[in-house]
Amino acid sequence: EVQLVESGGGLVEPGGSLRLSCTASGFTFSDAWMNWVRLAPGKGLEWIGRIKKNADGGTIDYAAPVRDRFTISRDDSKNTLYLQMNSLKNDDTAVYYCSTHEMARSTHWGQGTLVTVSS
Amino acid sequence: DIVMTQSPDSLAVSLGERATINCKSSHSVLYSSNNKNSLTWYQQKPGQPPKLLIYWASTRESGVPDRFSGSGSGTDFTLTISSLQAEDVAVYYCQQYYSIPFTFGPGTKVHIK
């Protein structure tokens, strides 16, 4: 059974940093492309970024609102995806989800981790 | 960026009746290489992650009830729930996977009339 478990969320002050983790099991993580997606309170889903598998170059793409502040990485030896978030703003308050990225879809999703940016 | 719009914002439907959600993209999401539309539908219930319903605009994900169907091509797409059940109350999102950023529509909230 595929499982994705996010962790690392919490309360952080504006301008602060946080690193989220997504631990995968039940599939060959090193073969997977992965996404981060967030859901802000009262808003809709927002795609944040995607990382390809290392065999495909490990290319990373970001959405414009986070491009210069967030960094996606992966450690295939630990079956873990990361989202390093710097210079956090109030608008970054959201539930953050990791998901698998197959051709034209995201089949498997974690339960999400809540990030609250507030002073 | 491809902008995704959905209509209506909210939809009230009686149990057993049909629900229709529209999604429009600002640019065609049809891949000429395989003649498939890179348009995906998700269902999200409160406190839960999104659930994949439909991909390639009309391919139902394994395990999704056949009352859910997707149609459309190019820039105009539709998700239809043929006979609304109580467990279908949720927000429904379309997403394009044609080009980065992989933008979502704003969502359509479906509830029982």
Side-chain angles (χ1 to χ4, degrees):
Chain A
E1 178 193 4
V2 172
Q3 280 203 321
L4 298 170
V5 179
E6 299 95 339
S7 61
L11 176 64
V12 61
E13 292 187 346
S17 298
L18 212 55
R19 187 177 83 157
L20 307 184
S21 300
C22 168
T23 303
S25 61
F27 65 103
T28 305
F29 180 74
S30 59
D31 283 344
W33 293 18
M34 300 293 294
N35 287 315
W36 283 101
V37 173
R38 66 185 178 185
L39 179 67
K43 297 191 176 180
L45 295 170
E46 181 182 19
W47 179 83
I48 295 172
R50 178 215 60 204
I51 184 167
K52 296 182 180 180
K53 64 183 181 182
N54 287 330
D56 289 336
T59 306
I60 307 169
D61 293 289
Y62 298 96
V66 306
R67 184 170 293 129
D68 298 325
R69 301 183 296 122
F70 291 9
T71 302
I72 297 173
S73 61
R74 64 190 301 157
D75 185 338
D76 291 342
S77 70
K78 296 182 178 179
N79 289 344
T80 301
L81 174 73
Y82 299 102
L83 180 66
Q84 176 67 44
M85 304 186 294
N86 298 330
S87 303
L88 283 161
K89 307 174 182 180
N90 291 333
D91 287 351
D92 295 319
T93 293
V95 175
Y96 285 74
Y97 300 100
C98 61
S99 69
T100 57
H101 178 119
E102 295 83 6
M103 190 58 138
R105 63 197 184 270
S106 290
T107 305
H108 304 288
W109 296 70
Q111 287 298 313
T113 187
L114 176 62
V115 173
T116 303
V117 184
S118 175
S119 54
Chain B
D1 297 1
I2 295 178
V3 177
M4 307 298 291
T5 56
Q6 289 182 232
S7 61
D9 296 333
S10 180
L11 184 60
V13 177
S14 300
L15 290 172
E17 295 300 305
R18 178 184 300 260
T20 301
I21 301 169
N22 300 301
C23 172
K24 189 173 182 68
S25 59
S26 61
H27 183 280
S28 174
V29 297
L30 176 64
Y31 278 131
S32 57
S33 58
N34 62 5
N35 201 36
K36 290 185 177 183
N37 291 279
S38 194
L39 190 286
T40 305
W41 289 96
Y42 298 94
Q43 173 194 66
Q44 188 171 30
K45 299 179 181 179
Q48 296 185 20
K51 175 187 175 182
L52 174 64
L53 295 177
I54 304 283
Y55 59 97
W56 292 132
S58 61
T59 301
R60 193 180 305 113
E61 171 67 354
S62 175
V64 172
D66 61 6
R67 63 180 181 273
F68 291 93
S69 64
S71 63
S73 184
T75 61
D76 292 280
F77 302 90
T78 300
L79 175 70
T80 301
I81 310 172
S82 60
S83 176
L84 191 77
Q85 304 300 303
E87 60 266 31
D88 301 335
V89 169
V91 179
Y92 293 84
Y93 295 93
C94 59
Q95 183 190 21
Q96 63 82 17
Y97 268 89
Y98 183 83
S99 67
I100 289 169
F102 299 132
T103 41
F104 287 91
T108 295
K109 191 170 187 177
V110 174
H111 51 100
I112 307 296
K113 183 187 290 183

